């Protein structure tokens, strides 16, 4: 079956630090990969996505590259801000009869001044 | 473009009571999803509709949970009777069309359910 494994949080960084949140997956076929962000009190928002191997998704300074050889989709940002404090979810989607998102457990990021 | 709407935002009930949640997807989105997000976990799909038909309800506890999307637009999710372990955030999402060009799911703000 499909599964997503994320690094456990919380991750605490100072503003302007470099961020990496690791994500690895197990899936049959060729899934699409996503990062979602959940700010306090809000719903999930799509942050970025990649639909095939070697694709790089990017948005708001965040990047992630779809690495089929290592089954990974690590999230990175060169310089985090306090406003990036949120919970980040890695997810995969296998299209087919039922296009179901499989989520990781989430990683809480806390950025301090 | 209006997003996915959900109500209520918060609900507190006692165990064995019943509760219902409502979701209105983005206009034109054929596919609607209900997820359960327990504190500290990622969302788990409960049920997926394509128009008014069920595509996947394999993880829906059918002895107590039910969902419908009668006219292929808005949807309700019901729990009867509720258990303590049902305390969670219930998220609704929609996407354009599973057979179309976009599988991107847009999420509503969720309903936080507390069962005491």
């Amino acid at each position: 079956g499909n599964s997503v494994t994320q690094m456990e949080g919380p991750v605490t960084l100072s503003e302007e630090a470099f961020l990496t949140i690791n994500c690895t997956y197990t899936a049959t076929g060729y899934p699409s990969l996503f990062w979602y962000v959940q700010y306090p009190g809000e719903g999930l928002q799509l942050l970025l996505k990649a639909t095939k191997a070697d694709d790089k998704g990017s948005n708001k300074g965040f990047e992630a590259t779809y690495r089929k050889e290592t089954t990974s989709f690590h999230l990175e940002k060169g310089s985090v801000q306090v406003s990036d404090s949120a919970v980040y979810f890695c997810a995969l989607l296998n299209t087919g009869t039922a296009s179901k998102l499989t989520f990781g457990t989430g990683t809480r990021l806390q950025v301090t001044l | 473009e209006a997003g996915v709407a959900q109500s209520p935002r918060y609900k507190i009930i006692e165990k064995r009571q019943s509760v219902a949640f409502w979701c209105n997807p983005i206009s034109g989105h054929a596919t609607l999803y209900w997820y359960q997000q327990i504190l500290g976990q990622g969302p788990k799909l409960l049920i997926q509709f394509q128009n008014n038909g069920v595509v996947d309800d394999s993880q829906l506890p059918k002895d107590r949970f039910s969902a419908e999307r009668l006219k292929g637009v808005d949807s309700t999710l019901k729990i009867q009777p509720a258990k303590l372990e049902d305390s969670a955030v219930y998220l609704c999402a929609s996407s354009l069309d599973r057979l179309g060009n976009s599988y991107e799911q847009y999420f509503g703000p969720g309903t936080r359910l507390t069962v005491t």
Side-chain angles (χ1 to χ4, degrees):
Chain A
N2 299 328
S3 67
V4 175
T5 302
Q6 288 182 237
M7 64 186 287
E8 290 194 17
V11 174
T12 302
L13 295 173
S14 298
E15 199 169 46
E16 298 183 0
F18 184 85
L19 168 71
T20 300
I21 300 178
N22 290 337
C23 171
T24 57
Y25 68 90
T26 302
T28 55
Y30 302 95
S32 294
L33 301 173
F34 302 82
W35 277 99
Y36 280 83
V37 59
Q38 189 171 37
Y39 298 103
E42 299 184 15
L44 289 165
Q45 300 175 25
L46 178 64
L47 181 60
L48 53 84
K49 65 180 179 182
T51 58
K52 61 182 187 296
D54 300 326
D55 267 3
K56 177 185 283 188
S58 62
N59 186 27
K60 299 181 182 179
F62 291 89
E63 292 183 341
T65 301
Y66 189 161
R67 302 285 188 200
K68 193 172 190 304
E69 63 276 14
T70 55
T71 61
S72 65
F73 192 55
H74 304 322
L75 182 68
E76 297 181 335
K77 186 175 186 182
S79 176
V80 293
Q81 305 300 312
V82 172
S83 57
D84 294 327
S85 298
V87 181
Y88 292 82
F89 291 92
C90 185
L92 70 83
L93 186 147
N94 253 329
T95 59
T97 306
S99 301
K100 182 171 72 175
L101 275 172
T102 300
F103 286 89
T105 54
T107 302
R108 180 175 298 278
L109 170 65
Q110 182 70 44
V111 181
T112 59
L113 290 171
Chain B
E1 173 181 87
V4 176
Q6 289 188 246
S7 68
R9 291 294 309 275
Y10 306 91
K11 189 73 176 179
I12 301 174
I13 62 172
E14 296 180 351
K15 60 184 178 183
R16 292 187 289 274
Q17 286 187 323
S18 62
V19 65
F21 313 127
W22 175 81
C23 172
N24 191 32
I26 292 173
S27 178
H29 280 196
T31 308
L32 185 147
Y33 313 78
W34 283 103
Y35 289 86
Q36 181 192 56
Q37 185 180 11
I38 294 173
L39 186 65
Q41 299 181 19
K44 180 186 79 172
L45 181 71
L46 292 175
I47 188 167
Q48 177 183 348
F49 292 94
Q50 173 75 6
N51 296 312
N52 61 350
V54 175
V55 175
D56 183 356
D57 64 355
S58 58
Q59 298 197 78
L60 186 73
K62 299 180 186 63
D63 57 333
R64 299 183 300 106
F65 286 65
S66 64
E68 60 183 14
R69 194 185 183 200
L70 293 176
K71 296 182 179 178
V73 181
D74 56 349
S75 175
T76 56
L77 175 70
K78 297 179 182 178
I79 307 174
Q80 181 179 14
K83 292 185 176 181
L84 294 176
E85 59 261 36
D86 298 332
S87 294
V89 176
Y90 291 85
L91 296 167
C92 180
S94 69
S95 64
L96 191 61
D97 186 342
R98 72 178 178 90
L99 298 178
N101 295 319
S102 175
Y103 297 95
E104 183 174 327
Q105 295 183 24
Y106 295 82
F107 284 80
T111 297
R112 182 177 297 277
L113 173 67
T114 301
V115 182
T116 63

